[in-house]
Amino acid sequence: MAIEFEKIEDSKNIPLIIKDLYLSSFPVEERRPWEDIVARIDRGDRIFNFYVLKHKNETVGFATLWNLPMALYCEHFAILPSLRGAGLGAEAVKEMIGFASRTDPAKPLVLEVELPETSTEAERRVRFYERCGLTAHEDFPYWQPPYRQDLPEVPMMLMSSGEIPDRTAFVLILHTVVYNQ
């Protein structure tokens, strides 16, 4: 089973099903405004990368990755609901871990997840990422800043494929570059 990452460099090439998947997969307080994603793609933002995930030439999901100084940060990742449970998500996560390890210098893949105690779905998601090789930083309090002023910050947990040398410094970079805080 091979997952292909197709980098989108023109927002007109994003399949409509991907926009729908993005909007339906994340609550409003956990997602960047779609217009901002489109603008970043179309202006050629070199730190932000939007990928459509394909399997056997069929669109199966997407991932947004930020190439930050201390880590490759996965801001959003989703597989189409009808294809979940088939191993495509695990393969995609392992490929992203591989991307991070091949950067120069090698970096961990880092992502935010909802706290496992908030729902059974959140707990399943944490276990999924652990099976893929990520470690939960349960001992490190973390909040996702709001994407807009009218939204709340969200208590989350960081997970990574390797050690984050200075988590506090990483969060400062993450909040500054990704969230404009």
Side-chain angles (χ1 to χ4, degrees):
M1 172 181 335
I3 288 280
E4 296 173 30
F5 281 66
E6 179 184 304
K7 185 175 179 183
I8 300 297
E9 298 189 46
D10 182 337
S11 65
K12 294 179 191 87
N13 295 329
I14 301 172
L16 181 58
I17 195 169
I18 294 300
K19 179 181 179 184
D20 294 343
L21 176 62
Y22 176 74
L23 296 174
S24 66
S25 294
F26 302 95
V28 68
E29 62 272 7
E30 293 178 27
R31 69 175 186 247
R32 173 177 302 286
W34 183 254
E35 301 74 30
D36 185 48
I37 291 172
V38 167
R40 287 178 181 283
I41 292 168
D42 291 340
R43 76 170 175 254
D45 189 322
R46 293 193 327 224
I47 296 173
F48 173 84
N49 296 286
F50 191 99
Y51 294 95
V52 170
L53 307 180
K54 298 205 167 195
H55 175 65
K56 297 182 180 178
N57 287 330
E58 295 294 324
T59 297
V60 299
F62 76 93
T64 58
L65 299 173
W66 293 76
N67 190 6
L68 300 176
M70 298 173 73
L72 183 64
Y73 170 65
C74 180
E75 182 179 24
H76 294 100
F77 163 66
I79 298 292
L80 291 168
S82 62
L83 300 174
R84 292 177 187 159
L88 297 169
E91 185 177 340
V93 172
K94 290 173 185 172
E95 187 64 29
M96 289 186 280
I97 291 170
F99 288 169
S101 70
R102 291 188 297 273
T103 59
D104 186 23
K107 304 174 187 180
L109 176 70
V110 176
L111 50 81
E112 303 162 332
V113 292
E114 294 162 325
L115 298 173
E117 61 271 14
T118 60
S119 71
T120 55
E121 186 177 319
E123 185 178 351
R124 271 196 314 269
R125 193 172 294 118
V126 169
R127 302 301 158 243
F128 164 76
Y129 286 123
E130 288 177 335
R131 286 191 306 275
C132 292
L134 278 75
T135 301
H137 296 276
E138 297 175 272
D139 63 332
F140 186 75
Y142 177 77
W143 290 265
Q144 175 198 297
Y147 280 103
R148 295 188 318 255
Q149 286 184 333
D150 61 325
L151 296 174
E153 65 181 14
V154 181
M156 301 281 258
M157 180 172 62
L158 294 177
M159 294 188 77
S160 69
S161 62
E163 191 57 39
I164 304 169
D166 184 339
R167 290 182 283 190
T168 302
F170 170 73
V171 167
L172 181 61
I173 292 168
L174 177 66
H175 287 186
T176 302
V177 175
V178 175
Y179 294 100
N180 297 315
Q181 300 288 317

